[in-house]
Amino acid sequence: MMASAALPEAVESKKNGNVKYAFTCAIFASMASIILGYDIGVMSGASLYIKKDLKITDVQLEILMGVMNLYSLIGAFAAGRTSDWIGRRFTVVFAAAIFFVGALLMGFAVSYAMLMAGRFVAGVGVGYAIMIAPVYTAEISPAASRGLLTSFPDFFINLGILLGYVSNYAFARLPLHLGWRVMLGIGAAPSALLALMVLVMPESPRWLVKNGRLADARAVLEKTSGTPEEAAERLADIKAAAGIPKDLDGDVVTVPEDRNSSETQVWKELILSPTPAMRRILLSALGIHFFQQASGSDCVVLYSPRVFKSAGITDDNKLLATTCAVGASKTLFILVAAFLLDRVGRRPLLLCSAGGMMISLVGLGTGLTVVAHHPDAKIPWAVGLSIASTLAYVAAFSIGLGPITGVYTSEIFPLQVRALGFAVGVACNRLTSGVTSMTFLSLSKAITIGGSFLLYAGIAALGCVFFFTYLPETRGRTLEEMGKLFGMEDSIMVEEDQGTRGEEKAVHQSGRKLDGNQETTATASLS
């Protein structure tokens, strides 16, 4: 009796320890995203001084602000191939090293051309980072806590933005020629720290299985699963997805060539001739990435000092202090989202987020339009509405569309196309962000700054419709089961081959305790 009473406590202790290990690995990998956030945040304030010091035009400035998003396309696509070649873990190190060099180039820039060169190198590093961090985290996380853990990259993006704002505020009092260079150059510090931390991380178990290293994969899964039985089930699922026969075991095995797809085959499966289910997965990823950026998220952050200046705040110190409040709001609400993802689900948070963004953008556009129509008079309610709407917008974005974009995209692609699929999503994200951020100043001159945000509000409304009609709920599903949600026949066949083990898994995984009616509802939501 005493022994049986002690057993649950022992199992729970092991489970908690393993969750903490997966938690630590997710934090280290997600820190790669901090370099993107820092660049976005620091450029919003540094741009005020860069324009004065280098005497550049608005067009040159908006190109400087947004071009990194286009440069990051190179890193995002290269990261897919690199992570399949050298592994997820060392790709994180590679990303940190590239950004380190880029940050130093920007910090020591003596001309606009050299600054653009630094932006190019840093942009490639950012592309690597934003692609690999969510993929690694999703692949190492248990299904029951994957939503929480894969939201960490977005948390670190927001933390990086906040640190960028704080850097602006801290170094703004330095001489003009020195202040913005210190702001940009100090971004090399977190990337160097990341490269050191990543040495204690294990490799992704899915990458290990894909390369036939079953013993290494089993060791990682045992460290990140609640029980040995759960680790064995996860390993069996990953082997099936990689095309390794169930009865084939050993420390190192040969992965069948017909399932371990070549690069050409991966492109064919995902882009050139996808099945209807794969096409739906791809469009889901592209859609969520597009609407995340087309609704103006980067413009609000990058140009927040200019937005507040348009609202009537003219003092530089007050501008930078107000932008710090924006960063604090983003960071706070991303924490709220992290703990709701595995409780509420992806779809409800996405819908609330898009709706909140739409309402906030309408308020921001209205407030700025009223201020613009009365340039010689201060209208306190319009200024207050503009500031409150900006804070509400970043809160709504951070509680849903911000973190869920990376979480959802890292979940839905099958193993053999996951790296490329996520890279395609990131490419869409960065391209859309680059277009919006590089045209914001010109768009504001054409239709006013208030009109620009009203346009983004309309795009957010379209995003809300897309999320409601097209995206299924993925909460609690293992990565190997995602294909079933999108109608993949081979995914269904895998589950049938596993027989009764699938029924046991449904009871074992706490995050997936669905009864028959709930299972039917989750699948029917695709119709």
Side-chain angles (χ1 to χ4, degrees), residues 315-348:
D315 181 74
D316 279 357
N317 287 331
K318 290 182 179 178
L319 282 175
L320 296 178
T322 310
T323 57
C324 286
V326 172
S329 178
K330 285 178 68 66
T331 306
L332 173 64
F333 279 92
I334 194 67
L335 288 174
V336 176
F339 290 99
L340 290 178
L341 273 168
D342 290 317
R343 292 173 172 82
V344 176
R346 283 50 159 168
R347 272 171 55 90

PDB file of all heavy atoms in Angstrom, residues 315-348:
ATOM      1  N   ASP A 315       8.834  65.805 -27.893  1.00  0.00           N
ATOM      2  CA  ASP A 315      10.119  65.686 -27.202  1.00  0.00           C
ATOM      3  C   ASP A 315      10.707  64.291 -27.406  1.00  0.00           C
ATOM      4  O   ASP A 315      10.024  63.282 -27.226  1.00  0.00           O
ATOM      5  CB  ASP A 315       9.923  65.947 -25.714  1.00  0.00           C
ATOM      6  CG  ASP A 315      11.236  65.861 -24.948  1.00  0.00           C
ATOM      7  OD1 ASP A 315      12.047  66.786 -25.066  1.00  0.00           O
ATOM      8  OD2 ASP A 315      11.431  64.826 -24.257  1.00  0.00           O
ATOM      9  N   ASP A 316      12.003  64.204 -27.791  1.00  0.00           N
ATOM     10  CA  ASP A 316      12.631  62.920 -28.088  1.00  0.00           C
ATOM     11  C   ASP A 316      12.608  61.971 -26.896  1.00  0.00           C
ATOM     12  O   ASP A 316      12.332  60.768 -27.037  1.00  0.00           O
ATOM     13  CB  ASP A 316      14.085  63.135 -28.544  1.00  0.00           C
ATOM     14  CG  ASP A 316      14.170  63.531 -30.018  1.00  0.00           C
ATOM     15  OD1 ASP A 316      13.108  63.585 -30.674  1.00  0.00           O
ATOM     16  OD2 ASP A 316      15.290  63.785 -30.495  1.00  0.00           O
ATOM     17  N   ASN A 317      12.923  62.476 -25.709  1.00  0.00           N
ATOM     18  CA  ASN A 317      12.937  61.616 -24.523  1.00  0.00           C
ATOM     19  C   ASN A 317      11.547  61.053 -24.217  1.00  0.00           C
ATOM     20  O   ASN A 317      11.394  59.881 -23.853  1.00  0.00           O
ATOM     21  CB  ASN A 317      13.469  62.384 -23.314  1.00  0.00           C
ATOM     22  CG  ASN A 317      14.973  62.605 -23.391  1.00  0.00           C
ATOM     23  OD1 ASN A 317      15.686  61.806 -23.992  1.00  0.00           O
ATOM     24  ND2 ASN A 317      15.454  63.685 -22.796  1.00  0.00           N
ATOM     25  N   LYS A 318      10.532  61.898 -24.358  1.00  0.00           N
ATOM     26  CA  LYS A 318       9.161  61.427 -24.136  1.00  0.00           C
ATOM     27  C   LYS A 318       8.749  60.411 -25.199  1.00  0.00           C
ATOM     28  O   LYS A 318       8.039  59.436 -24.913  1.00  0.00           O
ATOM     29  CB  LYS A 318       8.191  62.615 -24.131  1.00  0.00           C
ATOM     30  CG  LYS A 318       8.332  63.511 -22.909  1.00  0.00           C
ATOM     31  CD  LYS A 318       7.317  64.649 -22.943  1.00  0.00           C
ATOM     32  CE  LYS A 318       7.437  65.539 -21.698  1.00  0.00           C
ATOM     33  NZ  LYS A 318       6.489  66.678 -21.741  1.00  0.00           N
ATOM     34  N   LEU A 319       9.197  60.630 -26.439  1.00  0.00           N
ATOM     35  CA  LEU A 319       8.900  59.678 -27.509  1.00  0.00           C
ATOM     36  C   LEU A 319       9.488  58.302 -27.189  1.00  0.00           C
ATOM     37  O   LEU A 319       8.799  57.274 -27.291  1.00  0.00           O
ATOM     38  CB  LEU A 319       9.477  60.173 -28.840  1.00  0.00           C
ATOM     39  CG  LEU A 319       8.734  61.270 -29.591  1.00  0.00           C
ATOM     40  CD1 LEU A 319       9.531  61.717 -30.812  1.00  0.00           C
ATOM     41  CD2 LEU A 319       7.359  60.775 -30.031  1.00  0.00           C
ATOM     42  N   LEU A 320      10.747  58.277 -26.794  1.00  0.00           N
ATOM     43  CA  LEU A 320      11.412  57.005 -26.510  1.00  0.00           C
ATOM     44  C   LEU A 320      10.840  56.345 -25.259  1.00  0.00           C
ATOM     45  O   LEU A 320      10.732  55.118 -25.188  1.00  0.00           O
ATOM     46  CB  LEU A 320      12.917  57.228 -26.354  1.00  0.00           C
ATOM     47  CG  LEU A 320      13.636  57.733 -27.619  1.00  0.00           C
ATOM     48  CD1 LEU A 320      15.119  57.963 -27.340  1.00  0.00           C
ATOM     49  CD2 LEU A 320      13.456  56.762 -28.774  1.00  0.00           C
ATOM     50  N   ALA A 321      10.455  57.156 -24.266  1.00  0.00           N
ATOM     51  CA  ALA A 321       9.836  56.592 -23.057  1.00  0.00           C
ATOM     52  C   ALA A 321       8.490  55.950 -23.388  1.00  0.00           C
ATOM     53  O   ALA A 321       8.149  54.885 -22.861  1.00  0.00           O
ATOM     54  CB  ALA A 321       9.664  57.682 -22.002  1.00  0.00           C
ATOM     55  N   THR A 322       7.723  56.599 -24.273  1.00  0.00           N
ATOM     56  CA  THR A 322       6.426  56.040 -24.661  1.00  0.00           C
ATOM     57  C   THR A 322       6.597  54.750 -25.445  1.00  0.00           C
ATOM     58  O   THR A 322       5.815  53.805 -25.282  1.00  0.00           O
ATOM     59  CB  THR A 322       5.634  57.061 -25.508  1.00  0.00           C
ATOM     60  OG1 THR A 322       5.622  58.316 -24.832  1.00  0.00           O
ATOM     61  CG2 THR A 322       4.201  56.607 -25.706  1.00  0.00           C
ATOM     62  N   THR A 323       7.619  54.694 -26.298  1.00  0.00           N
ATOM     63  CA  THR A 323       7.854  53.450 -27.036  1.00  0.00           C
ATOM     64  C   THR A 323       8.276  52.324 -26.097  1.00  0.00           C
ATOM     65  O   THR A 323       7.983  51.149 -26.365  1.00  0.00           O
ATOM     66  CB  THR A 323       8.921  53.646 -28.122  1.00  0.00           C
ATOM     67  OG1 THR A 323      10.132  54.129 -27.526  1.00  0.00           O
ATOM     68  CG2 THR A 323       8.466  54.624 -29.175  1.00  0.00           C
ATOM     69  N   CYS A 324       8.947  52.650 -24.997  1.00  0.00           N
ATOM     70  CA  CYS A 324       9.269  51.621 -23.993  1.00  0.00           C
ATOM     71  C   CYS A 324       7.990  51.019 -23.419  1.00  0.00           C
ATOM     72  O   CYS A 324       7.930  49.821 -23.118  1.00  0.00           O
ATOM     73  CB  CYS A 324      10.120  52.208 -22.872  1.00  0.00           C
ATOM     74  SG  CYS A 324      11.838  52.533 -23.327  1.00  0.00           S
ATOM     75  N   ALA A 325       6.958  51.850 -23.242  1.00  0.00           N
ATOM     76  CA  ALA A 325       5.665  51.338 -22.762  1.00  0.00           C
ATOM     77  C   ALA A 325       5.074  50.360 -23.768  1.00  0.00           C
ATOM     78  O   ALA A 325       4.440  49.356 -23.390  1.00  0.00           O
ATOM     79  CB  ALA A 325       4.710  52.503 -22.512  1.00  0.00           C
ATOM     80  N   VAL A 326       5.273  50.633 -25.062  1.00  0.00           N
ATOM     81  CA  VAL A 326       4.809  49.707 -26.097  1.00  0.00           C
ATOM     82  C   VAL A 326       5.523  48.365 -25.955  1.00  0.00           C
ATOM     83  O   VAL A 326       4.900  47.294 -26.004  1.00  0.00           O
ATOM     84  CB  VAL A 326       5.050  50.299 -27.506  1.00  0.00           C
ATOM     85  CG1 VAL A 326       4.752  49.266 -28.590  1.00  0.00           C
ATOM     86  CG2 VAL A 326       4.199  51.539 -27.720  1.00  0.00           C
ATOM     87  N   GLY A 327       6.845  48.407 -25.786  1.00  0.00           N
ATOM     88  CA  GLY A 327       7.605  47.173 -25.614  1.00  0.00           C
ATOM     89  C   GLY A 327       7.199  46.396 -24.379  1.00  0.00           C
ATOM     90  O   GLY A 327       7.107  45.169 -24.404  1.00  0.00           O
ATOM     91  N   ALA A 328       6.949  47.098 -23.282  1.00  0.00           N
ATOM     92  CA  ALA A 328       6.527  46.434 -22.045  1.00  0.00           C
ATOM     93  C   ALA A 328       5.166  45.768 -22.225  1.00  0.00           C
ATOM     94  O   ALA A 328       4.937  44.650 -21.750  1.00  0.00           O
ATOM     95  CB  ALA A 328       6.470  47.445 -20.908  1.00  0.00           C
ATOM     96  N   SER A 329       4.256  46.435 -22.930  1.00  0.00           N
ATOM     97  CA  SER A 329       2.930  45.869 -23.188  1.00  0.00           C
ATOM     98  C   SER A 329       3.037  44.598 -24.023  1.00  0.00           C
ATOM     99  O   SER A 329       2.386  43.590 -23.734  1.00  0.00           O
ATOM    100  CB  SER A 329       2.057  46.907 -23.904  1.00  0.00           C
ATOM    101  OG  SER A 329       0.789  46.368 -24.215  1.00  0.00           O
ATOM    102  N   LYS A 330       3.873  44.630 -25.062  1.00  0.00           N
ATOM    103  CA  LYS A 330       4.054  43.448 -25.903  1.00  0.00           C
ATOM    104  C   LYS A 330       4.604  42.284 -25.095  1.00  0.00           C
ATOM    105  O   LYS A 330       4.125  41.141 -25.212  1.00  0.00           O
ATOM    106  CB  LYS A 330       5.000  43.771 -27.069  1.00  0.00           C
ATOM    107  CG  LYS A 330       4.371  44.601 -28.172  1.00  0.00           C
ATOM    108  CD  LYS A 330       5.372  44.924 -29.257  1.00  0.00           C
ATOM    109  CE  LYS A 330       5.788  43.685 -30.026  1.00  0.00           C
ATOM    110  NZ  LYS A 330       4.696  43.096 -30.809  1.00  0.00           N
ATOM    111  N   THR A 331       5.619  42.541 -24.291  1.00  0.00           N
ATOM    112  CA  THR A 331       6.260  41.471 -23.531  1.00  0.00           C
ATOM    113  C   THR A 331       5.318  40.883 -22.487  1.00  0.00           C
ATOM    114  O   THR A 331       5.277  39.658 -22.277  1.00  0.00           O
ATOM    115  CB  THR A 331       7.531  41.996 -22.849  1.00  0.00           C
ATOM    116  OG1 THR A 331       8.373  42.607 -23.832  1.00  0.00           O
ATOM    117  CG2 THR A 331       8.290  40.879 -22.168  1.00  0.00           C
ATOM    118  N   LEU A 332       4.532  41.723 -21.825  1.00  0.00           N
ATOM    119  CA  LEU A 332       3.601  41.249 -20.808  1.00  0.00           C
ATOM    120  C   LEU A 332       2.541  40.328 -21.414  1.00  0.00           C
ATOM    121  O   LEU A 332       2.276  39.239 -20.896  1.00  0.00           O
ATOM    122  CB  LEU A 332       2.930  42.449 -20.123  1.00  0.00           C
ATOM    123  CG  LEU A 332       1.801  42.118 -19.152  1.00  0.00           C
ATOM    124  CD1 LEU A 332       2.322  41.309 -17.966  1.00  0.00           C
ATOM    125  CD2 LEU A 332       1.116  43.392 -18.654  1.00  0.00           C
ATOM    126  N   PHE A 333       1.957  40.750 -22.529  1.00  0.00           N
ATOM    127  CA  PHE A 333       0.841  39.978 -23.080  1.00  0.00           C
ATOM    128  C   PHE A 333       1.299  38.720 -23.815  1.00  0.00           C
ATOM    129  O   PHE A 333       0.514  37.784 -23.968  1.00  0.00           O
ATOM    130  CB  PHE A 333      -0.012  40.863 -23.989  1.00  0.00           C
ATOM    131  CG  PHE A 333      -0.975  41.725 -23.217  1.00  0.00           C
ATOM    132  CD1 PHE A 333      -0.626  43.002 -22.817  1.00  0.00           C
ATOM    133  CD2 PHE A 333      -2.220  41.233 -22.846  1.00  0.00           C
ATOM    134  CE1 PHE A 333      -1.505  43.796 -22.091  1.00  0.00           C
ATOM    135  CE2 PHE A 333      -3.101  42.007 -22.106  1.00  0.00           C
ATOM    136  CZ  PHE A 333      -2.744  43.292 -21.725  1.00  0.00           C
ATOM    137  N   ILE A 334       2.556  38.678 -24.230  1.00  0.00           N
ATOM    138  CA  ILE A 334       3.041  37.429 -24.812  1.00  0.00           C
ATOM    139  C   ILE A 334       3.146  36.351 -23.747  1.00  0.00           C
ATOM    140  O   ILE A 334       2.942  35.163 -23.996  1.00  0.00           O
ATOM    141  CB  ILE A 334       4.403  37.635 -25.518  1.00  0.00           C
ATOM    142  CG1 ILE A 334       4.734  36.437 -26.400  1.00  0.00           C
ATOM    143  CG2 ILE A 334       5.515  37.838 -24.538  1.00  0.00           C
ATOM    144  CD1 ILE A 334       3.840  36.262 -27.562  1.00  0.00           C
ATOM    145  N   LEU A 335       3.417  36.745 -22.509  1.00  0.00           N
ATOM    146  CA  LEU A 335       3.421  35.789 -21.401  1.00  0.00           C
ATOM    147  C   LEU A 335       2.020  35.239 -21.148  1.00  0.00           C
ATOM    148  O   LEU A 335       1.842  34.054 -20.881  1.00  0.00           O
ATOM    149  CB  LEU A 335       3.960  36.459 -20.135  1.00  0.00           C
ATOM    150  CG  LEU A 335       5.457  36.754 -20.103  1.00  0.00           C
ATOM    151  CD1 LEU A 335       5.812  37.551 -18.852  1.00  0.00           C
ATOM    152  CD2 LEU A 335       6.257  35.453 -20.139  1.00  0.00           C
ATOM    153  N   VAL A 336       1.022  36.119 -21.237  1.00  0.00           N
ATOM    154  CA  VAL A 336      -0.371  35.673 -21.086  1.00  0.00           C
ATOM    155  C   VAL A 336      -0.707  34.647 -22.157  1.00  0.00           C
ATOM    156  O   VAL A 336      -1.291  33.585 -21.878  1.00  0.00           O
ATOM    157  CB  VAL A 336      -1.334  36.875 -21.170  1.00  0.00           C
ATOM    158  CG1 VAL A 336      -2.782  36.397 -21.124  1.00  0.00           C
ATOM    159  CG2 VAL A 336      -1.056  37.863 -20.037  1.00  0.00           C
ATOM    160  N   ALA A 337      -0.322  34.931 -23.403  1.00  0.00           N
ATOM    161  CA  ALA A 337      -0.607  34.014 -24.512  1.00  0.00           C
ATOM    162  C   ALA A 337       0.078  32.673 -24.309  1.00  0.00           C
ATOM    163  O   ALA A 337      -0.500  31.617 -24.598  1.00  0.00           O
ATOM    164  CB  ALA A 337      -0.162  34.645 -25.830  1.00  0.00           C
ATOM    165  N   ALA A 338       1.308  32.691 -23.813  1.00  0.00           N
ATOM    166  CA  ALA A 338       2.066  31.454 -23.643  1.00  0.00           C
ATOM    167  C   ALA A 338       1.333  30.465 -22.743  1.00  0.00           C
ATOM    168  O   ALA A 338       1.345  29.252 -22.991  1.00  0.00           O
ATOM    169  CB  ALA A 338       3.445  31.768 -23.061  1.00  0.00           C
ATOM    170  N   PHE A 339       0.663  30.961 -21.712  1.00  0.00           N
ATOM    171  CA  PHE A 339      -0.017  30.067 -20.775  1.00  0.00           C
ATOM    172  C   PHE A 339      -1.460  29.756 -21.188  1.00  0.00           C
ATOM    173  O   PHE A 339      -2.105  28.919 -20.572  1.00  0.00           O
ATOM    174  CB  PHE A 339       0.024  30.666 -19.366  1.00  0.00           C
ATOM    175  CG  PHE A 339       1.396  30.648 -18.769  1.00  0.00           C
ATOM    176  CD1 PHE A 339       2.194  31.782 -18.782  1.00  0.00           C
ATOM    177  CD2 PHE A 339       1.912  29.487 -18.219  1.00  0.00           C
ATOM    178  CE1 PHE A 339       3.469  31.763 -18.248  1.00  0.00           C
ATOM    179  CE2 PHE A 339       3.194  29.458 -17.679  1.00  0.00           C
ATOM    180  CZ  PHE A 339       3.977  30.592 -17.694  1.00  0.00           C
ATOM    181  N   LEU A 340      -1.955  30.420 -22.234  1.00  0.00           N
ATOM    182  CA  LEU A 340      -3.300  30.138 -22.717  1.00  0.00           C
ATOM    183  C   LEU A 340      -3.317  29.208 -23.935  1.00  0.00           C
ATOM    184  O   LEU A 340      -4.334  28.591 -24.224  1.00  0.00           O
ATOM    185  CB  LEU A 340      -4.019  31.445 -23.088  1.00  0.00           C
ATOM    186  CG  LEU A 340      -4.422  32.367 -21.935  1.00  0.00           C
ATOM    187  CD1 LEU A 340      -5.069  33.633 -22.480  1.00  0.00           C
ATOM    188  CD2 LEU A 340      -5.367  31.655 -20.974  1.00  0.00           C
ATOM    189  N   LEU A 341      -2.179  29.105 -24.636  1.00  0.00           N
ATOM    190  CA  LEU A 341      -2.150  28.360 -25.893  1.00  0.00           C
ATOM    191  C   LEU A 341      -2.591  26.913 -25.727  1.00  0.00           C
ATOM    192  O   LEU A 341      -3.350  26.397 -26.556  1.00  0.00           O
ATOM    193  CB  LEU A 341      -0.738  28.401 -26.482  1.00  0.00           C
ATOM    194  CG  LEU A 341      -0.419  29.604 -27.361  1.00  0.00           C
ATOM    195  CD1 LEU A 341       1.065  29.677 -27.643  1.00  0.00           C
ATOM    196  CD2 LEU A 341      -1.196  29.517 -28.664  1.00  0.00           C
ATOM    197  N   ASP A 342      -2.124  26.231 -24.674  1.00  0.00           N
ATOM    198  CA  ASP A 342      -2.465  24.825 -24.483  1.00  0.00           C
ATOM    199  C   ASP A 342      -3.732  24.637 -23.653  1.00  0.00           C
ATOM    200  O   ASP A 342      -4.169  23.506 -23.452  1.00  0.00           O
ATOM    201  CB  ASP A 342      -1.297  24.089 -23.816  1.00  0.00           C
ATOM    202  CG  ASP A 342      -0.110  23.937 -24.752  1.00  0.00           C
ATOM    203  OD1 ASP A 342      -0.333  23.605 -25.931  1.00  0.00           O
ATOM    204  OD2 ASP A 342       1.033  24.183 -24.323  1.00  0.00           O
ATOM    205  N   ARG A 343      -4.315  25.736 -23.194  1.00  0.00           N
ATOM    206  CA  ARG A 343      -5.558  25.653 -22.438  1.00  0.00           C
ATOM    207  C   ARG A 343      -6.754  26.059 -23.294  1.00  0.00           C
ATOM    208  O   ARG A 343      -7.772  25.378 -23.321  1.00  0.00           O
ATOM    209  CB  ARG A 343      -5.487  26.541 -21.189  1.00  0.00           C
ATOM    210  CG  ARG A 343      -4.490  26.062 -20.146  1.00  0.00           C
ATOM    211  CD  ARG A 343      -4.338  27.085 -19.018  1.00  0.00           C
ATOM    212  NE  ARG A 343      -3.546  26.584 -17.903  1.00  0.00           N
ATOM    213  CZ  ARG A 343      -2.226  26.565 -17.867  1.00  0.00           C
ATOM    214  NH1 ARG A 343      -1.541  27.032 -18.904  1.00  0.00           N
ATOM    215  NH2 ARG A 343      -1.575  26.085 -16.823  1.00  0.00           N
ATOM    216  N   VAL A 344      -6.627  27.168 -23.989  1.00  0.00           N
ATOM    217  CA  VAL A 344      -7.739  27.694 -24.787  1.00  0.00           C
ATOM    218  C   VAL A 344      -7.704  27.158 -26.213  1.00  0.00           C
ATOM    219  O   VAL A 344      -8.747  26.889 -26.808  1.00  0.00           O
ATOM    220  CB  VAL A 344      -7.690  29.244 -24.796  1.00  0.00           C
ATOM    221  CG1 VAL A 344      -8.768  29.824 -25.687  1.00  0.00           C
ATOM    222  CG2 VAL A 344      -7.824  29.767 -23.372  1.00  0.00           C
ATOM    223  N   GLY A 345      -6.509  26.998 -26.770  1.00  0.00           N
ATOM    224  CA  GLY A 345      -6.381  26.555 -28.151  1.00  0.00           C
ATOM    225  C   GLY A 345      -5.944  27.675 -29.067  1.00  0.00           C
ATOM    226  O   GLY A 345      -5.933  28.851 -28.701  1.00  0.00           O
ATOM    227  N   ARG A 346      -5.567  27.295 -30.290  1.00  0.00           N
ATOM    228  CA  ARG A 346      -5.021  28.262 -31.241  1.00  0.00           C
ATOM    229  C   ARG A 346      -6.101  29.133 -31.869  1.00  0.00           C
ATOM    230  O   ARG A 346      -5.967  30.357 -31.939  1.00  0.00           O
ATOM    231  CB  ARG A 346      -4.274  27.532 -32.366  1.00  0.00           C
ATOM    232  CG  ARG A 346      -2.889  26.981 -32.067  1.00  0.00           C
ATOM    233  CD  ARG A 346      -2.765  26.151 -30.843  1.00  0.00           C
ATOM    234  NE  ARG A 346      -1.600  25.275 -30.860  1.00  0.00           N
ATOM    235  CZ  ARG A 346      -1.170  24.632 -29.802  1.00  0.00           C
ATOM    236  NH1 ARG A 346      -1.774  24.781 -28.624  1.00  0.00           N
ATOM    237  NH2 ARG A 346      -0.130  23.828 -29.885  1.00  0.00           N
ATOM    238  N   ARG A 347      -7.174  28.515 -32.341  1.00  0.00           N
ATOM    239  CA  ARG A 347      -8.211  29.256 -33.077  1.00  0.00           C
ATOM    240  C   ARG A 347      -8.875  30.354 -32.237  1.00  0.00           C
ATOM    241  O   ARG A 347      -8.997  31.499 -32.707  1.00  0.00           O
ATOM    242  CB  ARG A 347      -9.279  28.280 -33.608  1.00  0.00           C
ATOM    243  CG  ARG A 347      -8.959  27.688 -34.968  1.00  0.00           C
ATOM    244  CD  ARG A 347      -9.943  26.577 -35.313  1.00  0.00           C
ATOM    245  NE  ARG A 347     -11.318  27.039 -35.247  1.00  0.00           N
ATOM    246  CZ  ARG A 347     -11.987  27.559 -36.280  1.00  0.00           C
ATOM    247  NH1 ARG A 347     -11.397  27.705 -37.451  1.00  0.00           N
ATOM    248  NH2 ARG A 347     -13.242  27.923 -36.147  1.00  0.00           N
ATOM    249  N   PRO A 348      -9.325  30.085 -31.016  1.00  0.00           N
ATOM    250  CA  PRO A 348      -9.959  31.159 -30.232  1.00  0.00           C
ATOM    251  C   PRO A 348      -9.039  32.349 -30.013  1.00  0.00           C
ATOM    252  O   PRO A 348      -9.472  33.503 -30.111  1.00  0.00           O
ATOM    253  CB  PRO A 348     -10.325  30.464 -28.913  1.00  0.00           C
ATOM    254  CG  PRO A 348     -10.427  29.018 -29.247  1.00  0.00           C
ATOM    255  CD  PRO A 348      -9.397  28.778 -30.304  1.00  0.00           C
TER     256      PRO A 348
END
